[in-house]
Amino acid sequence: MLVLLAFIIVFHITSAALLFIATIDNAWWVGEEFFVDIWRVCVNNTNCTEIDDSFQEFSTIQAVQATMILSTILSCIAFLIFVLQLFRLKQGERFVLTSIIQLMACLCVMIAASIYTDRREDIHKNNWRLYSQTADGTYGYSYILAWVAFAFTFISGLMYLILRKRK
C-alpha cells in the first residue's frame, strides 16, 4: 500500500512538473534560428518580442496562457487536497474532490493545447512581421509536454477517482 501511495504522489508531482515546464519554457514552435512560446517570439536566439495586446489574435494567445496557468494551479491545489484528504478521510472513502480538481486541470491543459493546435497557423499568418521567419518550424517540446501532461493529469484524475483510503 505504501508503494502505491508513493507511486501516486510521484505521478502527481511529475504531472505538475510537466505543466510548469510546458507553461514556462519557450519551445511551443521551434526552428533552426527561432523559438516561439505562448509568451514571446525569439528570432536568432537574441531578438525576443513579448506578445502583447498589439498582437493580432492576442485573445487566442491569452486563452492559451490562462488555461495553462489555470491547469498548473489546479494540479497543485489537487495535490494539496490529496494530502489533506489522506489525513481527513474515513477508511473506505474515495478521493473524489481531488479527482474532480485534477480532471479540471486535465480539461484546462487539453483546452490550451487544442486552441494552440487549431489556431497556430492563423496566429502566424496574422502576425507575419513577427512570424515571417518561423514558417518552416515544427512543434516544440513544450507543446508536446503539454499533451503529455494532459494524459498524465487524466490518468491521475482517474486514479484518484478509483482509489479508496485504506489503513
Side-chain angles (χ1 to χ4, degrees):
M1 185 63 192
L2 194 56
V3 173
L4 179 65
L5 180 63
F7 172 75
I8 289 171
I9 290 172
V10 168
F11 196 77
H12 193 123
I13 291 172
T14 303
S15 300
L18 290 174
L19 287 171
F20 272 108
I21 293 167
T23 303
I24 295 170
D25 212 1
N26 54 359
W28 280 64
W29 185 256
V30 295
E32 191 72 31
E33 291 291 322
F34 67 89
F35 51 89
V36 177
D37 66 354
I38 57 177
W39 307 103
R40 64 182 178 264
V41 177
C42 294
V43 179
N44 296 331
N45 296 329
T46 56
N47 183 14
C48 293
T49 304
E50 298 291 324
I51 297 174
D52 58 9
D53 58 353
S54 64
F55 195 79
Q56 289 187 12
E57 301 278 340
F58 181 60
S59 59
T60 303
I61 292 293
Q62 273 189 320
V64 174
Q65 291 171 344
T67 51
M68 284 302 293
I69 291 170
L70 187 59
S71 69
T72 305
I73 291 170
L74 286 171
S75 184
C76 292
I77 289 171
F79 183 72
L80 292 175
I81 290 175
F82 172 68
V83 171
L84 289 174
Q85 284 183 326
L86 276 175
F87 299 106
R88 305 290 289 173
L89 280 181
K90 295 177 184 167
Q91 186 174 350
E93 291 184 5
R94 296 188 186 272
F95 295 89
V96 176
L97 182 60
T98 303
S99 175
I100 289 170
I101 294 173
Q102 188 70 351
L103 290 172
M104 285 174 31
C106 169
L107 179 66
C108 287
V109 72
M110 183 197 66
I111 289 170
S114 296
I115 290 172
Y116 192 82
T117 302
D118 182 53
R119 304 295 295 170
R120 185 209 46 86
E121 191 173 321
D122 294 333
I123 292 168
H124 290 205
K125 283 182 183 176
N126 292 338
N127 297 287
W128 60 271
R129 282 179 285 158
L130 286 175
Y131 288 102
S132 61
Q133 297 173 335
T134 66
D136 60 342
T138 59
Y139 289 110
Y141 68 87
S142 292
Y143 171 82
I144 294 166
L145 286 180
W147 280 112
V148 171
F150 161 70
F152 273 43
T153 54
F154 182 71
I155 292 167
S156 177
L158 291 180
M159 281 192 308
Y160 288 127
L161 192 60
I162 295 168
L163 187 67
R164 288 181 185 266
K165 183 176 178 186
R166 296 188 184 174
K167 264 188 167 177

